[in-house]
């Protein structure tokens, strides 16, 4: 009977273990099926007796339709003559496309072909369980434009921040405090997909350069994952229908505040400043959400920009000053 020696054991180990380790490595590195992203439903899933259907019905604008994109279904509307100059209007953080309710019809009546849509996680667009960063929003718009066969368009974005803690008995969105991101998306979109953007861009009270000190304590607090998990399970603590009834809404807001186009976009604005695009900035002097001081900072990054200052204007300029906004956009895009 053969006797095992330490030398024999070492030899056996050198012969057996390397192939085993190599096989285990290849098995571990072998491609797995991609993880399926959870998709949360939109306002379209709510019962017809929900107040949302009265405040913001599915046919809020004419010419509405849905398109299924990789991160969920998206609601969009097309207004105005088909041969008009193409304009995309981008809403902000929490209030969906209804923020343009007094501007979009005016542009359409003046001959523009207007595209409005709900961002992922808002209104009638699905809420994917993912990071709501500038790339997600820019890609959403690029795919939507591809779907409707638009090669290029003028782009206008309005900023936006929504205070999620307020009076729980109020279901109508407070539009004055609900606008912080569309401008940042417009800038990011112009950077990532310059071939899809015409030579003019409008940024209304644009986010993208905000400093942490200018974000309210409430906003910072509500953007934390812990608080979002609590508010999602306690709908009575939030005021808006979306946060009260849509599981993906609070997560979308929180991720947008952490990862979205609210701050850290100075490089995008610098690239915009180096482009051959004309840029129109519109700001209110009484804006407490994205303070007026950012207008001068934006101008320094985009030296070819023109600033329209609305004295006493707050952050809800598309609601409080729709005629001024509409006239400015028409003059600029014409």
């Amino acid at each position: 009977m053969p006797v095992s020696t330490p030398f024999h054991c070492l030899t056996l180990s050198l012969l057996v273990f390397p192939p085993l380790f190599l096989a285990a490595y290849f098995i571990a590195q072998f491609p797995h099926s991609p993880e399926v992203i959870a998709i949360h439903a939109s306002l379209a899933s709510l019962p017809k007796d929900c107040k949302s259907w009265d405040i913001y019905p599915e046919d809020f604008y004419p010419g509405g339709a849905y398109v299924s994109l990789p991160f969920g279904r998206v609601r969009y509307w097309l207004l105005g003559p088909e041969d008009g100059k193409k304009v995309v209007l981008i809403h902000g953080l929490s209030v969906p496309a209804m923020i343009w309710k007094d501007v979009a019809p005016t542009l359409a009546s003046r001959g523009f072909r207007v595209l409005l849509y709900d961002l992922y996680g808002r209104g009638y667009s699905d809420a994917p369980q993912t990071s709501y960063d500038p790339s997600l929003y820019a890609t959403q718009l690029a795919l939507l434009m591809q779907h409707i066969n638009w090669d290029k368009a003028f782009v206008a974005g309005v900023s936006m921040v929504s205070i999620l803690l307020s009076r729980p008995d109020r279901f109508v969105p407070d539009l004055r405090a609900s606008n912080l991101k569309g401008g940042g998306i417009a800038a990011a979109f112009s950077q990532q997909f310059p071939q899809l953007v015409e030579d003019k861009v409008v940024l209304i009270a644009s986010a993208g350069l905000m400093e942490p000190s200018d974000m309210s304590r409430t906003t910072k607090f509500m953007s934390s994952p812990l608080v979002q998990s609590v508010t999602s399970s306690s709908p009575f603590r939030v005021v808006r229908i979306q946060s009260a009834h849509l599981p993906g809404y609070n997560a979308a807001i929180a991720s947008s505040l952490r990862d979205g186009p609210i701050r850290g976009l100075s490089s995008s604005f610098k690239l915009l400043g180096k482009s051959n695009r004309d840029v129109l900035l519109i700001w209110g002097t009484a804006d407490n959400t994205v303070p007026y001081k950012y207008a001068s900072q934006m101008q320094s990054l985009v030296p070819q920009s023109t600033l329209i200052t609305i004295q006493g204007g707050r952050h809800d300029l598309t609601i409080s000053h729709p005629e001024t906004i509409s006239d400015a956009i028409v003059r600029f895009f014409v």
Side-chain angles (χ1 to χ4, degrees):
M1 180 177 181
V3 179
S4 298
T5 65
F7 176 75
H8 290 149
C9 293
L10 177 61
T11 302
L12 183 62
S13 299
L14 292 175
L15 292 174
V16 174
F17 287 124
L20 289 177
F21 286 135
L22 189 62
Y25 172 78
F26 280 115
I27 292 174
Q29 297 300 315
F30 195 82
H32 298 283
S33 299
E35 183 179 352
V36 177
I37 296 178
I39 303 293
H40 296 289
S42 69
L43 286 177
S45 66
L46 299 183
K48 295 299 182 180
D49 59 353
C50 182
K51 291 185 178 180
S52 64
W53 292 97
D54 296 325
I55 300 169
Y56 184 45
E58 202 172 31
D59 58 352
F60 191 81
Y61 300 104
Y66 285 99
V67 57
S68 294
L69 299 181
F71 285 92
R73 199 169 67 149
V74 172
R75 181 68 173 175
Y76 69 93
W77 298 263
L78 286 169
L79 287 68
E82 294 186 7
D83 60 348
K85 288 187 176 181
K86 300 177 177 66
V87 177
V88 179
L89 300 180
I90 309 174
H91 70 78
L93 183 69
S94 59
V95 175
M98 65 184 297
I99 197 73
W100 296 100
K101 68 183 184 69
D102 296 315
V103 175
T106 300
L107 297 183
S109 68
R110 297 191 186 182
F112 289 93
R113 183 66 165 170
V114 181
L115 168 64
L116 303 109
Y117 68 104
D118 286 339
L119 296 172
Y120 283 127
R122 284 79 167 179
Y124 291 96
S125 291
D126 289 342
Q129 190 171 310
T130 187
S131 176
Y132 284 71
D133 55 21
S135 294
L136 176 73
Y137 293 115
T139 303
Q140 178 189 13
L141 178 53
L143 292 175
L144 178 56
M145 288 180 62
Q146 181 185 53
H147 171 72
I148 61 175
N149 295 317
W150 279 20
D151 296 326
K152 269 190 173 185
F154 295 111
V155 177
V158 60
S159 171
M160 190 169 94
V161 145
S162 175
I163 302 304
L164 298 178
L165 286 177
S166 184
R167 290 161 42 190
D169 60 332
R170 228 178 132 187
F171 281 86
V172 179
D174 183 356
L175 300 181
R176 292 176 301 172
S178 304
N179 276 321
L180 180 75
K181 208 176 63 218
I185 295 175
F189 181 74
S190 299
Q191 177 192 359
Q192 295 186 30
F193 298 98
Q195 73 278 9
L196 300 180
V197 183
E198 291 284 6
D199 58 354
K200 294 181 180 180
V201 176
V202 175
L203 306 177
I204 304 173
S206 178
L209 299 178
M210 289 190 69
E211 300 169 359
S213 59
D214 285 322
M215 297 181 67
S216 69
R217 292 183 179 181
T218 302
T219 301
K220 292 180 183 177
F221 179 69
M222 288 304 297
S223 67
S224 67
L226 176 60
V227 173
Q228 287 302 313
S229 66
V230 173
T231 56
S232 293
S233 60
S234 306
F236 60 90
R237 296 182 60 188
V238 291
V239 300
R240 291 164 176 79
I241 295 176
Q242 296 175 106
S243 59
H245 298 283
L246 303 181
Y249 176 78
N250 290 328
I253 297 296
S255 179
S256 296
L257 291 171
R258 293 193 306 269
D259 312 315
I262 292 178
R263 53 190 179 274
L265 288 182
S266 59
S267 60
S268 295
F269 289 114
K270 286 180 181 178
L271 288 175
L272 187 60
K274 294 178 180 178
S275 71
N276 59 355
R277 291 188 176 88
D278 293 330
V279 178
L280 177 63
L281 306 176
I282 306 177
W283 233 289
T285 57
D287 191 334
N288 294 321
T289 303
V290 183
Y292 183 67
K293 68 178 183 179
Y294 288 111
S296 60
Q297 295 184 26
M298 196 82 69
Q299 281 192 295
S300 66
L301 294 174
V302 189
Q304 78 274 26
S305 62
T306 300
L307 173 64
I308 293 180
T309 298
I310 299 180
Q311 294 296 329
R314 293 185 171 275
H315 198 63
D316 60 336
L317 296 177
T318 60
I319 299 298
S320 63
H321 296 75
E323 293 183 1
T324 302
I325 299 298
S326 299
D327 290 342
I329 291 177
V330 169
R331 287 195 304 268
F332 185 65
F333 285 156
V334 168

